[in-house]
Amino acid sequence: MRRNGRRDERAENASGIPLEPFYSASDAAEAATVLGTAPPGEYPYVRGIRRDGYRERLWTMRQYAGFATAAESNARYRYLLARGTTGLSVAFDLPTQLGYDSDAPLASGEVGKVGVAIDHVRDMETLFDEIPLGEVTVSMTINAPAAILLAMLLAVARRRGIAFSTLGGTIQNDVLKEYVARGTYIFPPKPSMRLVTDVMGYCASDVPRWNTISISGYHIREAGSTAVEEIAFTLSNAKAYLRAAKDAGLAIDAVAQRISFFWNAHNDFFEEIAKFRAARLLWARIVRDDFACADPRAQMLRFHTQTGGSTLTAQEPDNNVVRVTLQALAAVLGGTQSLHTNGKDEALALPTAEAARLALRTQQIIGYESGVAKVADPLAGSYYLETLTADLVRRAGDVIREVDDLGGSVAAIESGWMQARIAESAYRAQQAIERGDAVVVGVNAFAESHDDPPIALQRIDAAVERDQIARLGRSRAERDAVAVRSRLDDVRAAAAGSANLMPRLVEAADAGATIGEICDELRAVFGTHVAEAIA
């Protein structure tokens, strides 16, 4: 805030790390004892996983989109691809995320609202109509029913004669953070982890270019964590997945190579750059020291970044363009492999086509006009950045050890410890805003007294739900009901046993089984998760 023309300087950053007025060569030299001095492309990859940074190719400009019906989302994907998007990222509606068909009573009023409704393989065919799946990488933000959505995509590829070995993309498939931060879980943790490892094992042999999990710090940050906690809890969850893969008899060197990460790009510019650098070092050490993986490709932390949704404001939405630009620049300077930039209107509604285009243009201007992508890790050697990176390594490492002492991520989640820690950080951050210690321009400082002019918003018509339900009914009537029942019986039998579920899920999806029907078979065997209140 400004009082009497002066700024009240906070002596700490967004994570509460004390900051000096300036930093010197001696601070950077001390940081080097933690970080080392390896160049980009060499262990522990503080400076990036590629020696040439972005010289050979820029990051994937992967705009996250999905709304209403598969046909409407397909039109948005083609719109973005025509304007230079280099990868697709699918947002699913809430019923799909929770494993319900669009005509389920619990889906009423939510169909197509926060993403696209996908009930069956025909919807998936429409979603990717005229999109070359063997050439364009696809990311799907789906967790509890991730294996089923991947199965539907594979069924589409098979119908088109596309070899699974040519498919490249990612499913989020990160169920642990659902229990911590988002709440779109279906099954209890143990069978959920089995679904994750079944996908890992199946893709290792049948879909080798597919990233089988994208472990998300993004949602942990959106729930209110600090940058330190975002690093620590995300990497702790990653350790839990590697342990589960090891227990399932999978080769960790191969599994770790297909793990990717999903980070938030928040407002504290230098802390965000340092966060990405620190996370790379910590992951390299975890994979090498905790899991004895010697393969450099397994030690490299590859990640997608999305600008911070929780930082966007409904007031003065044009200000969000500036926020997103700074956040995207931090992600690029931190070495991201893939990036989504939020639309300026996303605090109010799903982004319009125009807002999505401006968000994409933001990435393109950074990539092609700013010059920041010409040199790998261009801020390396900054006294402040090196010191801050080392501090984040120490602090996040301490929290990871706390989680380990509790028995690992699953135990920390089941006890409510991790959720309580995030809630406390969120409370402190909100209190800082309400006190005015943390400035949000146009909200608690420099706010205009008059109303903002209205802006065009994306609205989902009520007819979307009716039409989706009608298409679902036609699909059920036209499919081979006997074949579907047989494939669903196979799914239930595999779930009750120990066989890998993925081949059965692909067959069920290809036969026309719906996401709700498949999830009902799994619910019958696995049960459902009910969160306990946190004291």
Side-chain angles (χ1 to χ4, degrees), residues 119-149:
D119 289 315
H120 45 72
V121 69
R122 287 185 181 182
D123 285 339
M124 192 68 84
E125 285 184 303
T126 301
L127 187 66
F128 293 110
D129 183 40
E130 295 188 24
I131 291 172
L133 290 176
E135 301 170 23
V136 176
T137 60
V138 174
S139 175
M140 296 192 287
T141 302
I142 192 71
N143 295 285
I148 301 167
L149 272 297

PDB file of all heavy atoms in Angstrom, residues 119-149:
ATOM      1  N   ASP A 119     -19.097 -38.523 -22.594  1.00  0.00           N
ATOM      2  CA  ASP A 119     -19.805 -39.666 -22.032  1.00  0.00           C
ATOM      3  C   ASP A 119     -19.331 -40.993 -22.602  1.00  0.00           C
ATOM      4  O   ASP A 119     -19.374 -42.014 -21.911  1.00  0.00           O
ATOM      5  CB  ASP A 119     -21.305 -39.529 -22.282  1.00  0.00           C
ATOM      6  CG  ASP A 119     -21.939 -38.440 -21.435  1.00  0.00           C
ATOM      7  OD1 ASP A 119     -21.622 -38.385 -20.239  1.00  0.00           O
ATOM      8  OD2 ASP A 119     -22.739 -37.651 -21.962  1.00  0.00           O
ATOM      9  N   HIS A 120     -18.900 -41.000 -23.882  1.00  0.00           N
ATOM     10  CA  HIS A 120     -18.583 -42.257 -24.553  1.00  0.00           C
ATOM     11  C   HIS A 120     -17.617 -41.988 -25.693  1.00  0.00           C
ATOM     12  O   HIS A 120     -17.255 -40.835 -25.969  1.00  0.00           O
ATOM     13  CB  HIS A 120     -19.857 -42.929 -25.063  1.00  0.00           C
ATOM     14  CG  HIS A 120     -20.798 -41.980 -25.744  1.00  0.00           C
ATOM     15  ND1 HIS A 120     -20.553 -41.444 -26.988  1.00  0.00           N
ATOM     16  CD2 HIS A 120     -21.982 -41.452 -25.331  1.00  0.00           C
ATOM     17  CE1 HIS A 120     -21.539 -40.639 -27.319  1.00  0.00           C
ATOM     18  NE2 HIS A 120     -22.418 -40.613 -26.330  1.00  0.00           N
ATOM     19  N   VAL A 121     -17.224 -43.054 -26.376  1.00  0.00           N
ATOM     20  CA  VAL A 121     -16.188 -42.948 -27.396  1.00  0.00           C
ATOM     21  C   VAL A 121     -16.625 -42.068 -28.562  1.00  0.00           C
ATOM     22  O   VAL A 121     -15.796 -41.408 -29.210  1.00  0.00           O
ATOM     23  CB  VAL A 121     -15.764 -44.350 -27.880  1.00  0.00           C
ATOM     24  CG1 VAL A 121     -16.868 -45.023 -28.680  1.00  0.00           C
ATOM     25  CG2 VAL A 121     -14.467 -44.285 -28.687  1.00  0.00           C
ATOM     26  N   ARG A 122     -17.919 -42.005 -28.857  1.00  0.00           N
ATOM     27  CA  ARG A 122     -18.380 -41.135 -29.939  1.00  0.00           C
ATOM     28  C   ARG A 122     -18.088 -39.668 -29.621  1.00  0.00           C
ATOM     29  O   ARG A 122     -17.738 -38.884 -30.507  1.00  0.00           O
ATOM     30  CB  ARG A 122     -19.879 -41.334 -30.185  1.00  0.00           C
ATOM     31  CG  ARG A 122     -20.245 -42.645 -30.863  1.00  0.00           C
ATOM     32  CD  ARG A 122     -21.737 -42.648 -31.158  1.00  0.00           C
ATOM     33  NE  ARG A 122     -22.173 -43.886 -31.781  1.00  0.00           N
ATOM     34  CZ  ARG A 122     -23.437 -44.119 -32.169  1.00  0.00           C
ATOM     35  NH1 ARG A 122     -24.372 -43.188 -31.971  1.00  0.00           N
ATOM     36  NH2 ARG A 122     -23.760 -45.260 -32.736  1.00  0.00           N
ATOM     37  N   ASP A 123     -18.264 -39.303 -28.358  1.00  0.00           N
ATOM     38  CA  ASP A 123     -17.919 -37.932 -27.958  1.00  0.00           C
ATOM     39  C   ASP A 123     -16.427 -37.678 -28.175  1.00  0.00           C
ATOM     40  O   ASP A 123     -16.030 -36.603 -28.638  1.00  0.00           O
ATOM     41  CB  ASP A 123     -18.266 -37.704 -26.480  1.00  0.00           C
ATOM     42  CG  ASP A 123     -19.751 -37.533 -26.234  1.00  0.00           C
ATOM     43  OD1 ASP A 123     -20.478 -37.191 -27.177  1.00  0.00           O
ATOM     44  OD2 ASP A 123     -20.190 -37.750 -25.082  1.00  0.00           O
ATOM     45  N   MET A 124     -15.602 -38.649 -27.816  1.00  0.00           N
ATOM     46  CA  MET A 124     -14.162 -38.491 -27.983  1.00  0.00           C
ATOM     47  C   MET A 124     -13.799 -38.388 -29.466  1.00  0.00           C
ATOM     48  O   MET A 124     -12.907 -37.615 -29.848  1.00  0.00           O
ATOM     49  CB  MET A 124     -13.421 -39.645 -27.319  1.00  0.00           C
ATOM     50  CG  MET A 124     -11.929 -39.433 -27.179  1.00  0.00           C
ATOM     51  SD  MET A 124     -11.482 -38.125 -25.999  1.00  0.00           S
ATOM     52  CE  MET A 124     -11.531 -39.011 -24.440  1.00  0.00           C
ATOM     53  N   GLU A 125     -14.495 -39.148 -30.330  1.00  0.00           N
ATOM     54  CA  GLU A 125     -14.260 -39.037 -31.770  1.00  0.00           C
ATOM     55  C   GLU A 125     -14.582 -37.630 -32.262  1.00  0.00           C
ATOM     56  O   GLU A 125     -13.835 -37.041 -33.052  1.00  0.00           O
ATOM     57  CB  GLU A 125     -15.120 -40.057 -32.525  1.00  0.00           C
ATOM     58  CG  GLU A 125     -14.626 -41.492 -32.426  1.00  0.00           C
ATOM     59  CD  GLU A 125     -15.461 -42.441 -33.258  1.00  0.00           C
ATOM     60  OE1 GLU A 125     -16.690 -42.490 -33.031  1.00  0.00           O
ATOM     61  OE2 GLU A 125     -14.897 -43.125 -34.125  1.00  0.00           O
ATOM     62  N   THR A 126     -15.685 -37.086 -31.791  1.00  0.00           N
ATOM     63  CA  THR A 126     -16.076 -35.730 -32.192  1.00  0.00           C
ATOM     64  C   THR A 126     -15.084 -34.697 -31.666  1.00  0.00           C
ATOM     65  O   THR A 126     -14.737 -33.739 -32.369  1.00  0.00           O
ATOM     66  CB  THR A 126     -17.483 -35.420 -31.669  1.00  0.00           C
ATOM     67  OG1 THR A 126     -18.412 -36.377 -32.190  1.00  0.00           O
ATOM     68  CG2 THR A 126     -17.937 -34.021 -32.072  1.00  0.00           C
ATOM     69  N   LEU A 127     -14.626 -34.898 -30.444  1.00  0.00           N
ATOM     70  CA  LEU A 127     -13.704 -33.940 -29.828  1.00  0.00           C
ATOM     71  C   LEU A 127     -12.445 -33.767 -30.667  1.00  0.00           C
ATOM     72  O   LEU A 127     -11.911 -32.652 -30.778  1.00  0.00           O
ATOM     73  CB  LEU A 127     -13.343 -34.420 -28.422  1.00  0.00           C
ATOM     74  CG  LEU A 127     -12.516 -33.470 -27.558  1.00  0.00           C
ATOM     75  CD1 LEU A 127     -13.310 -32.214 -27.216  1.00  0.00           C
ATOM     76  CD2 LEU A 127     -12.057 -34.169 -26.281  1.00  0.00           C
ATOM     77  N   PHE A 128     -11.969 -34.856 -31.262  1.00  0.00           N
ATOM     78  CA  PHE A 128     -10.724 -34.797 -32.024  1.00  0.00           C
ATOM     79  C   PHE A 128     -10.948 -34.960 -33.532  1.00  0.00           C
ATOM     80  O   PHE A 128     -10.047 -35.357 -34.256  1.00  0.00           O
ATOM     81  CB  PHE A 128      -9.744 -35.842 -31.502  1.00  0.00           C
ATOM     82  CG  PHE A 128      -9.277 -35.542 -30.104  1.00  0.00           C
ATOM     83  CD1 PHE A 128      -9.679 -36.344 -29.035  1.00  0.00           C
ATOM     84  CD2 PHE A 128      -8.474 -34.450 -29.844  1.00  0.00           C
ATOM     85  CE1 PHE A 128      -9.266 -36.060 -27.745  1.00  0.00           C
ATOM     86  CE2 PHE A 128      -8.065 -34.159 -28.553  1.00  0.00           C
ATOM     87  CZ  PHE A 128      -8.453 -34.961 -27.498  1.00  0.00           C
ATOM     88  N   ASP A 129     -12.137 -34.612 -33.975  1.00  0.00           N
ATOM     89  CA  ASP A 129     -12.437 -34.685 -35.402  1.00  0.00           C
ATOM     90  C   ASP A 129     -11.490 -33.783 -36.204  1.00  0.00           C
ATOM     91  O   ASP A 129     -11.292 -32.608 -35.869  1.00  0.00           O
ATOM     92  CB  ASP A 129     -13.891 -34.251 -35.636  1.00  0.00           C
ATOM     93  CG  ASP A 129     -14.308 -34.377 -37.086  1.00  0.00           C
ATOM     94  OD1 ASP A 129     -13.927 -35.376 -37.725  1.00  0.00           O
ATOM     95  OD2 ASP A 129     -15.012 -33.475 -37.581  1.00  0.00           O
ATOM     96  N   GLU A 130     -10.880 -34.361 -37.244  1.00  0.00           N
ATOM     97  CA  GLU A 130      -9.958 -33.656 -38.142  1.00  0.00           C
ATOM     98  C   GLU A 130      -8.712 -33.122 -37.433  1.00  0.00           C
ATOM     99  O   GLU A 130      -8.009 -32.265 -37.959  1.00  0.00           O
ATOM    100  CB  GLU A 130     -10.669 -32.507 -38.872  1.00  0.00           C
ATOM    101  CG  GLU A 130     -11.764 -32.985 -39.808  1.00  0.00           C
ATOM    102  CD  GLU A 130     -12.331 -31.873 -40.657  1.00  0.00           C
ATOM    103  OE1 GLU A 130     -11.633 -30.862 -40.878  1.00  0.00           O
ATOM    104  OE2 GLU A 130     -13.497 -32.014 -41.086  1.00  0.00           O
ATOM    105  N   ILE A 131      -8.426 -33.649 -36.255  1.00  0.00           N
ATOM    106  CA  ILE A 131      -7.192 -33.299 -35.544  1.00  0.00           C
ATOM    107  C   ILE A 131      -6.260 -34.500 -35.629  1.00  0.00           C
ATOM    108  O   ILE A 131      -6.636 -35.605 -35.219  1.00  0.00           O
ATOM    109  CB  ILE A 131      -7.482 -32.914 -34.088  1.00  0.00           C
ATOM    110  CG1 ILE A 131      -8.242 -31.585 -34.048  1.00  0.00           C
ATOM    111  CG2 ILE A 131      -6.187 -32.813 -33.271  1.00  0.00           C
ATOM    112  CD1 ILE A 131      -8.743 -31.193 -32.686  1.00  0.00           C
ATOM    113  N   PRO A 132      -5.061 -34.331 -36.181  1.00  0.00           N
ATOM    114  CA  PRO A 132      -4.152 -35.467 -36.391  1.00  0.00           C
ATOM    115  C   PRO A 132      -3.525 -35.939 -35.087  1.00  0.00           C
ATOM    116  O   PRO A 132      -2.501 -35.417 -34.631  1.00  0.00           O
ATOM    117  CB  PRO A 132      -3.104 -34.896 -37.351  1.00  0.00           C
ATOM    118  CG  PRO A 132      -3.104 -33.421 -37.095  1.00  0.00           C
ATOM    119  CD  PRO A 132      -4.506 -33.060 -36.705  1.00  0.00           C
ATOM    120  N   LEU A 133      -4.109 -36.959 -34.488  1.00  0.00           N
ATOM    121  CA  LEU A 133      -3.655 -37.420 -33.179  1.00  0.00           C
ATOM    122  C   LEU A 133      -2.224 -37.933 -33.201  1.00  0.00           C
ATOM    123  O   LEU A 133      -1.532 -37.891 -32.178  1.00  0.00           O
ATOM    124  CB  LEU A 133      -4.591 -38.519 -32.665  1.00  0.00           C
ATOM    125  CG  LEU A 133      -5.997 -38.067 -32.255  1.00  0.00           C
ATOM    126  CD1 LEU A 133      -6.848 -39.264 -31.863  1.00  0.00           C
ATOM    127  CD2 LEU A 133      -5.928 -37.061 -31.111  1.00  0.00           C
ATOM    128  N   GLY A 134      -1.777 -38.437 -34.329  1.00  0.00           N
ATOM    129  CA  GLY A 134      -0.401 -38.920 -34.410  1.00  0.00           C
ATOM    130  C   GLY A 134       0.620 -37.819 -34.547  1.00  0.00           C
ATOM    131  O   GLY A 134       1.828 -38.064 -34.488  1.00  0.00           O
ATOM    132  N   GLU A 135       0.154 -36.552 -34.706  1.00  0.00           N
ATOM    133  CA  GLU A 135       1.057 -35.422 -34.908  1.00  0.00           C
ATOM    134  C   GLU A 135       0.951 -34.373 -33.804  1.00  0.00           C
ATOM    135  O   GLU A 135       1.957 -33.758 -33.434  1.00  0.00           O
ATOM    136  CB  GLU A 135       0.763 -34.756 -36.258  1.00  0.00           C
ATOM    137  CG  GLU A 135       0.909 -35.690 -37.459  1.00  0.00           C
ATOM    138  CD  GLU A 135       0.393 -35.073 -38.738  1.00  0.00           C
ATOM    139  OE1 GLU A 135       0.335 -33.834 -38.812  1.00  0.00           O
ATOM    140  OE2 GLU A 135       0.034 -35.826 -39.671  1.00  0.00           O
ATOM    141  N   VAL A 136      -0.251 -34.132 -33.294  1.00  0.00           N
ATOM    142  CA  VAL A 136      -0.477 -33.118 -32.262  1.00  0.00           C
ATOM    143  C   VAL A 136      -0.511 -33.796 -30.897  1.00  0.00           C
ATOM    144  O   VAL A 136      -1.262 -34.752 -30.691  1.00  0.00           O
ATOM    145  CB  VAL A 136      -1.804 -32.369 -32.503  1.00  0.00           C
ATOM    146  CG1 VAL A 136      -2.085 -31.389 -31.373  1.00  0.00           C
ATOM    147  CG2 VAL A 136      -1.763 -31.641 -33.841  1.00  0.00           C
ATOM    148  N   THR A 137       0.297 -33.329 -29.958  1.00  0.00           N
ATOM    149  CA  THR A 137       0.257 -33.912 -28.620  1.00  0.00           C
ATOM    150  C   THR A 137      -0.975 -33.411 -27.874  1.00  0.00           C
ATOM    151  O   THR A 137      -1.383 -32.256 -28.015  1.00  0.00           O
ATOM    152  CB  THR A 137       1.526 -33.577 -27.821  1.00  0.00           C
ATOM    153  OG1 THR A 137       1.651 -32.159 -27.692  1.00  0.00           O
ATOM    154  CG2 THR A 137       2.755 -34.148 -28.485  1.00  0.00           C
ATOM    155  N   VAL A 138      -1.541 -34.286 -27.080  1.00  0.00           N
ATOM    156  CA  VAL A 138      -2.775 -33.998 -26.361  1.00  0.00           C
ATOM    157  C   VAL A 138      -2.541 -34.175 -24.871  1.00  0.00           C
ATOM    158  O   VAL A 138      -1.996 -35.201 -24.435  1.00  0.00           O
ATOM    159  CB  VAL A 138      -3.903 -34.946 -26.816  1.00  0.00           C
ATOM    160  CG1 VAL A 138      -5.153 -34.736 -25.954  1.00  0.00           C
ATOM    161  CG2 VAL A 138      -4.230 -34.734 -28.288  1.00  0.00           C
ATOM    162  N   SER A 139      -2.939 -33.188 -24.090  1.00  0.00           N
ATOM    163  CA  SER A 139      -2.906 -33.290 -22.639  1.00  0.00           C
ATOM    164  C   SER A 139      -4.336 -33.290 -22.127  1.00  0.00           C
ATOM    165  O   SER A 139      -5.158 -32.496 -22.588  1.00  0.00           O
ATOM    166  CB  SER A 139      -2.126 -32.114 -22.030  1.00  0.00           C
ATOM    167  OG  SER A 139      -2.186 -32.143 -20.617  1.00  0.00           O
ATOM    168  N   MET A 140      -4.634 -34.188 -21.200  1.00  0.00           N
ATOM    169  CA  MET A 140      -5.986 -34.264 -20.663  1.00  0.00           C
ATOM    170  C   MET A 140      -5.944 -34.079 -19.146  1.00  0.00           C
ATOM    171  O   MET A 140      -5.304 -34.852 -18.436  1.00  0.00           O
ATOM    172  CB  MET A 140      -6.623 -35.612 -21.016  1.00  0.00           C
ATOM    173  CG  MET A 140      -6.818 -35.824 -22.512  1.00  0.00           C
ATOM    174  SD  MET A 140      -7.874 -37.240 -22.921  1.00  0.00           S
ATOM    175  CE  MET A 140      -6.783 -38.600 -22.529  1.00  0.00           C
ATOM    176  N   THR A 141      -6.620 -33.026 -18.692  1.00  0.00           N
ATOM    177  CA  THR A 141      -6.669 -32.745 -17.261  1.00  0.00           C
ATOM    178  C   THR A 141      -7.805 -33.558 -16.651  1.00  0.00           C
ATOM    179  O   THR A 141      -8.938 -33.108 -16.542  1.00  0.00           O
ATOM    180  CB  THR A 141      -6.848 -31.243 -17.001  1.00  0.00           C
ATOM    181  OG1 THR A 141      -5.777 -30.539 -17.620  1.00  0.00           O
ATOM    182  CG2 THR A 141      -6.830 -30.944 -15.512  1.00  0.00           C
ATOM    183  N   ILE A 142      -7.475 -34.792 -16.303  1.00  0.00           N
ATOM    184  CA  ILE A 142      -8.450 -35.725 -15.749  1.00  0.00           C
ATOM    185  C   ILE A 142      -7.706 -36.601 -14.754  1.00  0.00           C
ATOM    186  O   ILE A 142      -6.539 -36.954 -14.983  1.00  0.00           O
ATOM    187  CB  ILE A 142      -9.114 -36.555 -16.871  1.00  0.00           C
ATOM    188  CG1 ILE A 142     -10.327 -37.314 -16.364  1.00  0.00           C
ATOM    189  CG2 ILE A 142      -8.115 -37.457 -17.569  1.00  0.00           C
ATOM    190  CD1 ILE A 142     -11.519 -36.426 -16.056  1.00  0.00           C
ATOM    191  N   ASN A 143      -8.360 -36.964 -13.670  1.00  0.00           N
ATOM    192  CA  ASN A 143      -7.650 -37.641 -12.590  1.00  0.00           C
ATOM    193  C   ASN A 143      -8.302 -38.945 -12.168  1.00  0.00           C
ATOM    194  O   ASN A 143      -7.860 -40.008 -12.570  1.00  0.00           O
ATOM    195  CB  ASN A 143      -7.490 -36.662 -11.423  1.00  0.00           C
ATOM    196  CG  ASN A 143      -6.610 -35.494 -11.803  1.00  0.00           C
ATOM    197  OD1 ASN A 143      -5.399 -35.630 -11.889  1.00  0.00           O
ATOM    198  ND2 ASN A 143      -7.205 -34.331 -12.070  1.00  0.00           N
ATOM    199  N   ALA A 144      -9.351 -38.895 -11.386  1.00  0.00           N
ATOM    200  CA  ALA A 144      -9.934 -40.144 -10.889  1.00  0.00           C
ATOM    201  C   ALA A 144     -10.295 -41.112 -12.011  1.00  0.00           C
ATOM    202  O   ALA A 144      -9.993 -42.306 -11.920  1.00  0.00           O
ATOM    203  CB  ALA A 144     -11.141 -39.840 -10.003  1.00  0.00           C
ATOM    204  N   PRO A 145     -10.958 -40.675 -13.098  1.00  0.00           N
ATOM    205  CA  PRO A 145     -11.255 -41.596 -14.203  1.00  0.00           C
ATOM    206  C   PRO A 145     -10.266 -41.457 -15.361  1.00  0.00           C
ATOM    207  O   PRO A 145     -10.608 -41.705 -16.517  1.00  0.00           O
ATOM    208  CB  PRO A 145     -12.664 -41.158 -14.635  1.00  0.00           C
ATOM    209  CG  PRO A 145     -12.671 -39.681 -14.389  1.00  0.00           C
ATOM    210  CD  PRO A 145     -11.697 -39.404 -13.265  1.00  0.00           C
ATOM    211  N   ALA A 146      -9.018 -41.075 -15.068  1.00  0.00           N
ATOM    212  CA  ALA A 146      -8.036 -40.827 -16.128  1.00  0.00           C
ATOM    213  C   ALA A 146      -7.828 -42.045 -17.017  1.00  0.00           C
ATOM    214  O   ALA A 146      -7.718 -41.928 -18.249  1.00  0.00           O
ATOM    215  CB  ALA A 146      -6.703 -40.396 -15.508  1.00  0.00           C
ATOM    216  N   ALA A 147      -7.771 -43.230 -16.417  1.00  0.00           N
ATOM    217  CA  ALA A 147      -7.548 -44.441 -17.204  1.00  0.00           C
ATOM    218  C   ALA A 147      -8.657 -44.645 -18.222  1.00  0.00           C
ATOM    219  O   ALA A 147      -8.415 -45.108 -19.350  1.00  0.00           O
ATOM    220  CB  ALA A 147      -7.449 -45.649 -16.265  1.00  0.00           C
ATOM    221  N   ILE A 148      -9.887 -44.283 -17.859  1.00  0.00           N
ATOM    222  CA  ILE A 148     -11.026 -44.469 -18.759  1.00  0.00           C
ATOM    223  C   ILE A 148     -10.964 -43.486 -19.922  1.00  0.00           C
ATOM    224  O   ILE A 148     -11.209 -43.855 -21.084  1.00  0.00           O
ATOM    225  CB  ILE A 148     -12.351 -44.318 -17.978  1.00  0.00           C
ATOM    226  CG1 ILE A 148     -12.420 -45.348 -16.851  1.00  0.00           C
ATOM    227  CG2 ILE A 148     -13.554 -44.443 -18.904  1.00  0.00           C
ATOM    228  CD1 ILE A 148     -13.525 -45.088 -15.842  1.00  0.00           C
ATOM    229  N   LEU A 149     -10.638 -42.232 -19.653  1.00  0.00           N
ATOM    230  CA  LEU A 149     -10.543 -41.242 -20.732  1.00  0.00           C
ATOM    231  C   LEU A 149      -9.399 -41.570 -21.679  1.00  0.00           C
ATOM    232  O   LEU A 149      -9.513 -41.394 -22.894  1.00  0.00           O
ATOM    233  CB  LEU A 149     -10.383 -39.838 -20.146  1.00  0.00           C
ATOM    234  CG  LEU A 149     -11.677 -39.072 -19.823  1.00  0.00           C
ATOM    235  CD1 LEU A 149     -12.490 -38.824 -21.085  1.00  0.00           C
ATOM    236  CD2 LEU A 149     -12.533 -39.790 -18.792  1.00  0.00           C
TER     237      LEU A 149
END
